[in-house]
Amino acid sequence: MANPAGIRFPGQAVVIGAGIGGLTAARVLADHFERVVLLESGVLPAVAGPRDGVPQARHVHGLLARGAKQLEVLFPGLQAELIAAGAPLFDHGLFASTTVFAGLVPRARTGVRAHGFSRDLLEWSLRQRVAQHPQVTLRDRSPVTGLRWSPDASQVVGVRLADDEILDASLVVDASGRFSKLPQWLVDAGYPRPAVKVVDAGLAYATMAFDAPSQDFEALQHMNSAPDLTRGAFVLRIEGGRWLATVFGALGDHPPTDETGWREFAAQLGNPDLDKLLASATPVKEAGVHGFKRTENRRHAYTAMRRWPRRLVAIGDSVAAFDPVFGQGMTVSVLQAQALGETLAGADDLDAVARRAQRRVAAIVRTPWLMSVSEDLAWHHYRERGSLPLWLRPALWYKRRLLRLAVVDAEVYREFLSVYHMLKPPTALVGPRTLAKVLFKVRGPGQGEPAARRGGPR
Ligand SMILES: Cc1cc2nc3c(=O)[nH]c(=O)nc-3n(C[C@H](O)[C@H](O)[C@H](O)COP(=O)(O)OP(=O)(O)OC[C@H]3O[C@@H](n4cnc5c(N)ncnc54)[C@H](O)[C@@H]3O)c2cc1C
């Protein structure tokens, strides 16, 4: 194939895994390589629908506003296409029924837009676009079984597939998700086992799909809250007028995966909007109840390794997978793919890319990791010791006061949502106005460490 204008690196880039991270990485790499081969172990359906390889796709997948913005840059027209497919786009403050431990958040316009679609639809839309890209070859049923190395194992030169098939590569991107085999592949090549940090809140999801009439909300969030409120729910109206309803519980307080038990669990939340929706909802017959328990935060310290192979980059859940309650994973993957593209754009030499890109990937992980882990460490400590360590108390104290304010102060909630959607950094929540309000305006409880309980808001 002729080398189109602007493509600077010869040969092909290989991406392992066609999830959100792999698809966006392939799109970005196509700007810089003659060819991109995207390899997926599972079967990729021709229509938007469930597939093996991403069992988490059965559960509510909210895309943060920052991720949506960046996806639109990479795939212009995507948002309009999703809307045309029946996916609602709405103001998160106005059309989400949000309950936090302190109560129901009053509805108000925030300017933070959220989108309701199934992960299947999002992935399919991205997949169509990537598959049609002239430089990209998308192969499903193609599990990568290992990496190919230079003789001294200092550089990755390709991948191995089943039946001893080998693909050479100028750059390999691992986007094979939470269960990536990359740590073992590195060990097999003589590298020390990468350190991994795991923080587990003992959280499980269970999800049902429903047909239901329109409501006065497009999404419902019932947030759990460490250390006392173990249960929560996410509900999203998706394409086709369907609703996805996920209930979840931390500290082993797991939702049942039979319909009767699931409904009881949901009812115990004591959320009137959820009760109203479920009362008029008909379960999608063939869908059933789907559970998911592998929700621990897991981060590989790849940038802490003294040696890192040239021509290898890992992104997405393969590097850091988060507790899904915060809805960060897809956005983080997209931002990392973007960072990979920027690193390539600024590089003259491919050999310098891997380390640099991996550092940028790690930098993108840092804030979402802190947000996710600070809450989950509270669960963890509470479960292990029945109390919180002193060093964790101020952050939790501040967050609880902030949420207490959010139910009475629209400005504070708007700021909170902007940070939640990664449109602003967390430091926005300690800006002078918010800080003063948090310190001096909050009344009532929320400062102590209440006893463990399961039910709805106070
Ligand atoms: C229950 C749950 C709910 C979630 N909810 C949200 C949410 O609301 N919002 C959000 O942003 N994120 C959410 N996430 C996280 C989100 O699913 C991921 O962060 C996101 O999909 C990015 O992952 P990825 O592309 O790195 O990996 P994945 O999406 O997991 O994709 C990895 C792909 O690699 C393939 N693969 C694996 N091994 C190989 C191999 N050897 N060879 C070839 N292919 C391979 C797999 O089949 C799969 O297709 C949730 C996660 C879970 C578990």
Side-chain angles (χ1 to χ4, degrees):
M1 188 201 290
N3 192 355
I7 294 172
R8 297 179 308 133
F9 296 117
Q12 64 188 10
V14 168
V15 181
I16 308 171
I20 305 296
L23 286 164
T24 45
R27 160 65 194 83
V28 160
L29 291 168
D31 289 341
H32 301 282
F33 286 86
E34 289 173 8
R35 291 182 308 281
V36 178
V37 185
L38 175 53
L39 300 167
E40 166 57 40
S41 54
V43 178
L44 296 174
V47 292
R51 65 179 186 89
D52 48 356
V54 284
Q56 74 267 35
R58 302 269 192 179
H59 304 275
V60 169
H61 263 63
L63 179 64
L64 303 181
R66 174 92 184 274
K69 273 190 177 169
Q70 187 53 37
L71 272 181
E72 189 64 23
V73 172
L74 291 175
F75 300 93
L78 176 71
Q79 190 175 85
E81 190 181 305
L82 292 167
I83 291 170
L89 179 68
F90 53 93
D91 186 288
H92 190 143
L94 206 52
F95 290 106
S97 163
T98 302
T99 303
V100 298
F101 81 96
L104 187 66
V105 179
R107 308 264 196 99
R109 190 173 296 283
T110 56
V112 178
R113 303 222 291 176
H115 220 147
F117 41 67
S118 65
R119 152 123 184 200
D120 293 339
L121 176 64
L122 175 65
E123 214 185 79
W124 181 80
S125 304
L126 299 180
R127 200 155 70 229
Q128 295 305 103
R129 286 162 177 257
V130 167
Q132 282 160 15
H133 198 292
Q135 279 134 256
V136 179
T137 306
L138 172 55
R139 282 178 55 180
D140 65 353
R141 304 165 210 249
S142 302
V144 171
T145 56
L147 299 174
R148 280 196 73 226
W149 296 88
S150 60
D152 64 354
S154 65
Q155 178 174 329
V156 170
V157 297
V159 298
R160 290 179 193 284
L161 294 116
D163 301 327
D164 290 334
E165 185 186 348
I166 281 170
L167 273 184
D168 292 335
S170 306
L171 183 77
V172 171
V173 175
D174 178 43
S176 62
R178 186 180 271 271
F179 305 107
S180 165
K181 304 220 167 51
L182 182 55
Q184 188 57 45
W185 293 340
L186 289 168
V187 170
D188 293 345
Y191 288 78
R193 184 168 291 282
V196 60
K197 173 100 183 152
V198 178
V199 178
D200 187 2
L203 179 94
Y205 270 37
T207 297
M208 291 190 69
F210 294 95
D211 288 314
S214 302
Q215 307 288 319
D216 65 352
F217 56 87
E218 301 283 15
L220 181 149
Q221 282 181 296
H222 187 109
M223 301 302 292
N224 65 346
S225 173
D228 56 328
L229 194 64
T230 49
R231 294 184 178 185
F234 290 132
V235 179
L236 197 57
R237 188 164 77 84
I238 59 169
E239 67 276 7
R242 235 159 223 187
W243 293 80
L244 271 186
T246 293
V247 292
F248 54 89
L251 286 189
D253 180 20
H254 291 172
T257 49
D258 65 284
E259 186 179 339
T260 309
W262 187 96
R263 281 182 180 276
E264 274 168 19
F265 188 98
Q268 284 163 10
L269 288 171
N271 184 308
D273 281 339
L274 181 60
D275 295 345
K276 186 166 80 86
L277 172 74
L278 292 180
S280 60
T282 315
V284 176
K285 224 192 238 149
E286 65 281 13
V289 186
H290 294 275
F292 202 98
K293 290 186 179 168
R294 291 299 305 274
T295 60
E296 75 278 7
N297 300 281
R298 176 176 289 274
R299 181 174 65 168
H300 296 281
Y302 289 143
T303 45
M305 291 175 72
R306 277 203 317 123
R307 280 196 310 141
W308 182 254
R310 294 194 305 279
R311 314 286 184 105
L312 172 69
V313 178
I315 68 164
D317 283 13
S318 152
V319 177
F322 305 94
D323 169 344
V325 160
F326 303 92
Q328 304 181 111
M330 295 193 295
T331 294
V332 167
S333 302
V334 173
L335 296 178
Q336 291 171 342
Q338 175 200 6
L340 172 60
E342 287 167 2
T343 309
L344 283 163
D348 300 321
D349 176 5
L350 258 187
D351 283 343
V353 162
R355 198 54 147 169
R356 222 176 275 166
Q358 209 60 57
R359 281 200 197 106
R360 292 200 58 183
V361 163
I364 290 166
V365 165
R366 214 165 287 141
T367 300
W369 175 263
L370 271 178
M371 281 182 69
S372 182
V373 157
S374 59
E375 182 84 11
D376 286 354
L377 275 174
W379 290 117
H380 178 77
H381 283 283
Y382 201 70
R383 178 177 54 190
E384 298 299 315
R385 300 180 197 154
S387 68
L388 298 180
L390 286 178
W391 59 267
L392 200 53
R393 290 183 191 197
L396 215 65
W397 176 85
Y398 192 86
K399 186 178 167 195
R400 290 178 80 86
R401 286 178 77 92
L402 191 81
L403 287 176
R404 248 179 207 294
L405 265 182
V407 299
V408 291
D409 186 321
E411 191 188 29
V412 166
Y413 183 57
R414 192 165 53 239
E415 204 72 343
F416 176 80
L417 263 194
S418 301
V419 171
Y420 180 89
H421 277 269
M422 293 192 195
L423 298 170
K424 289 187 179 175
T427 47
L429 297 178
V430 287
R433 266 180 81 81
T434 309
L435 181 67
K437 285 180 180 179
V438 167
L439 292 182
F440 304 117
K441 202 180 154 190
V442 183
R443 293 208 167 79
Q447 301 166 32
E449 204 179 285
R453 41 185 226 103
R454 293 173 166 179
R458 276 183 293 273

